[in-house]
Amino acid sequence: MHSEYWRVGPPGGVTWTATERLDLDAVQLLKKRCEHAPLPWVLDWQALRAIEPEALMPFTDLVRSWCKQTHEMRWQQGNLLLDQLRDATPVGERDTDAGWWMLRLELLRLANRPDQFDEAAIDYCVTYEVSPPSWEPTRCKVHVSGSGSSTRQPDLSLVSDVSTGFMESALHDDTGSVEVAHVELSGQLIGDISATLTKLQGELGTAPVVSV
């Protein structure tokens, strides 16, 4: 029994924490852990450094099964997992097992990253000179976090600098231009958001139209 794979993270609800090497036992225990854990599943990939070849097909099968399910998942340091697969799929090296490409493409589908999927699919086509798999949306919803903090304790909201511009307007038969303020919001609004709203209102000025 590889009990180290059953490690549970700090309070906050981490379902499963990866160790440095994802082997066959780790995949099997990951599957069992998720089968019995409440949703959303929170998977911490921070420690991952390599995926063993023996785990390639079982992990791919597991990811494909997740794609068909209507579950919600949260990946802490999920980009580390995607980076591992990117490094395992060098463009133009036909000696590389195509199974690594299949796993990478399935993970990109699961993470709902169609642009990265298309780029990887083109690289796959260039490498093996065969048609790549096509994009198919998944039923599973995955939130990928690139930070080491728990995905159950998201970062506070961030407000970008406000930029303004003008666009043509034709309201009530009056033509001309109207000032538009552009702002980007990220994170989540948690607790008392009055300070955030005050800052935002102050930077928007008198612009009658706001693009978020």
Side-chain angles (χ1 to χ4, degrees):
M1 173 66 68
H2 295 260
S3 58
E4 65 272 21
Y5 292 118
W6 288 94
R7 289 185 297 148
V8 177
V14 176
T15 305
W16 178 85
T17 303
T19 52
E20 290 190 4
R21 309 190 74 84
L22 186 71
D23 60 13
L24 182 59
D25 289 333
V27 173
Q28 292 174 343
L29 292 175
L30 169 60
K31 180 180 178 180
K32 292 180 180 179
R33 185 76 179 185
C34 290
E35 286 176 347
H36 300 287
L39 294 173
W41 300 333
V42 181
L43 310 182
D44 185 354
W45 299 99
Q46 184 171 3
L48 183 67
R49 296 296 179 269
I51 300 174
E52 297 290 350
E54 64 178 14
L56 176 57
M57 290 308 300
F59 189 31
T60 302
D61 292 339
L62 180 59
V63 172
R64 284 173 176 161
S65 70
W66 285 342
C67 289
K68 300 176 183 178
Q69 300 171 10
T70 56
H71 297 325
E72 181 179 356
M73 306 174 65
R74 300 180 183 182
W75 294 354
Q76 296 186 35
Q77 291 287 358
N79 286 330
L80 291 177
L81 172 62
L82 299 177
D83 289 346
Q84 288 292 329
L85 271 300
R86 182 191 60 198
D87 294 341
T89 52
V91 180
E93 296 189 11
R94 301 189 64 176
D95 292 338
T96 301
D97 186 346
W100 293 106
W101 286 90
M102 295 298 102
L103 176 56
R104 180 185 178 190
L105 291 170
E106 292 294 340
L107 284 169
L108 290 173
R109 281 209 312 129
L110 186 62
N112 191 30
R113 296 190 173 184
D115 292 341
Q116 294 183 26
F117 179 95
D118 289 343
E119 293 176 2
I122 293 174
D123 290 341
Y124 172 86
C125 180
V126 169
T127 299
Y128 297 104
E129 298 181 356
V130 296
S131 299
S134 58
W135 168 267
E136 294 181 8
T138 67
R139 302 178 65 187
C140 187
K141 187 175 183 180
V142 176
H143 304 273
V144 180
S145 168
S147 66
S149 60
S150 170
T151 54
R152 295 202 180 211
Q153 298 293 332
D155 295 334
L156 297 179
S157 60
L158 299 176
V159 181
S160 71
D161 293 334
V162 176
S163 60
T164 59
F166 293 87
M167 71 176 184
E168 294 300 318
S169 175
L171 300 176
H172 305 296
D173 298 328
D174 294 332
T175 59
S177 61
V178 61
E179 185 178 7
V180 180
H182 301 272
V183 63
E184 293 185 3
L185 304 179
S186 62
Q188 297 187 16
L189 298 177
I190 301 174
D192 184 3
I193 64 173
S194 58
T196 300
L197 294 178
T198 300
K199 175 184 176 182
L200 181 59
Q201 184 175 6
E203 294 187 1
L204 291 176
T206 60
V209 178
V210 179
S211 175
V212 180

